[in-house]
Amino acid sequence: MIRWTDSFCRILAARGFHVIRFDNRDVGCSTHFSHCPTLDFAALATALMSGQIPEIPYTLNDMVNDTIGLLDALSIERAHFVGRSMGGMIAQIAASEYPERVLSLTSIMSTSGNPALPQTDPDVMAMMTKPAPNPFDNEAGFLAHSFSFAKRIAGTGYPFEEDAYRALIMEEAQRAYDPGSVGRQIAAIAVSGDRRPLLGTIKVPTLVIHGVDDPLFVPACGEDTASAIPGAELMLVDGMGHDLPHQLYKVVVDRIEQMARRNKY
């Protein structure tokens, strides 16, 4: 939740939007699945390559239903959906499966699930799935591990701000430390498959934002997402990686607002 920073949300709110940010399941202060067995990435990859659907704790569709359930609990009939990375996938599915609840879609640094797209570089996947030191036992090791990955996926156009990032990840750890949750969410992404048939049914105004420097989901992933959604607009951002530097907040909010204003109700 806090990856959507206070300052970003305030810019959106200043445009007249009621901003809701929340923890997906298995992170932050949401419901965790720590009781589930530790994810075996090799076994998961082997199963998927053989055409099998492995048993996992939850899917992206479950997370979509969580989101719609949150709107129900808040008595909100329809909303503009903005998601980044996995959140973008969740927002995509919601726009397809719950068209009556979604006013507009903004998918940021995400992908369509098209298996023909270039894959993430092996070193990036290795860094993302490598266990990090416990931040409460070895804070220096935890920070070094986190910094190396964050710098690897960041863009080249903006400075990496260590102090701000240190504060963010330590706040995340204090809110909820669950080292297995990232793996469980990666599994949910891995089994979600090719979403292009779903994307083709989306009718709401859609914006796809993607960093030219993104090494996790390369720009072709954003381009493929936009091409699969009828009428979608693609915004490629020079110097942006798999991150959202504060220098880009205003330009990103400008485009989100433009897209949202196309469908007020």
Side-chain angles (χ1 to χ4, degrees), residues 16-210:
F17 294 105
H18 179 102
V19 181
I20 300 167
R21 59 177 183 173
F22 61 95
D23 294 318
N24 285 310
R25 61 168 63 190
D26 223 3
V27 294
C29 299
S30 189
T31 302
H32 284 251
F33 290 73
S34 309
H35 58 281
C36 297
T38 302
L39 183 69
D40 184 333
F41 285 104
L44 175 67
T46 300
L48 290 173
M49 286 189 292
S50 64
Q52 300 175 20
I53 303 297
E55 288 190 16
I56 58 174
Y58 50 83
T59 67
L60 292 184
N61 289 80
D62 292 321
M63 302 173 90
V64 171
N65 292 333
D66 293 342
T67 307
I68 299 301
L70 175 60
L71 291 182
D72 291 341
L74 296 173
S75 299
I76 296 174
E77 183 180 354
R78 291 177 289 186
H80 300 282
F81 278 53
V82 179
R84 57 200 277 192
S85 197
M86 181 184 70
M89 303 173 202
I90 294 169
Q92 293 167 14
I93 299 171
S96 174
E97 300 289 348
Y98 294 93
E100 74 283 1
R101 307 301 296 272
V102 180
L103 289 168
S104 70
L105 166 65
T106 301
S107 176
I108 304 173
M109 63 182 89
S110 193
T111 185
S112 65
N114 180 353
L117 287 168
Q119 298 301 300
T120 302
D121 286 343
D123 75 298
V124 176
M125 282 301 299
M127 294 175 75
M128 184 167 62
T129 57
K130 181 181 177 181
N134 187 309
F136 306 110
D137 296 336
N138 181 3
E139 181 176 315
F142 173 76
L143 290 172
H145 176 277
S146 301
F147 283 163
S148 62
F149 179 63
K151 290 177 179 178
R152 176 65 178 87
I153 64 174
T156 60
Y158 304 91
F160 181 77
E161 299 180 350
E162 286 198 5
D163 289 344
Y165 188 72
R166 177 185 293 106
L168 173 66
I169 60 175
M170 292 309 298
E171 183 181 356
E172 286 181 340
Q174 293 287 346
R175 292 182 80 235
Y177 177 63
D178 185 350
S181 64
V182 172
R184 293 187 290 270
Q185 291 188 346
I186 291 173
I189 294 171
V191 304
S192 66
D194 190 344
R195 284 181 300 283
R196 286 178 297 169
L198 292 178
L199 299 180
T201 69
I202 294 174
K203 295 181 172 59
V204 296
T206 298
L207 171 66
V208 177
I209 301 175
H210 214 97

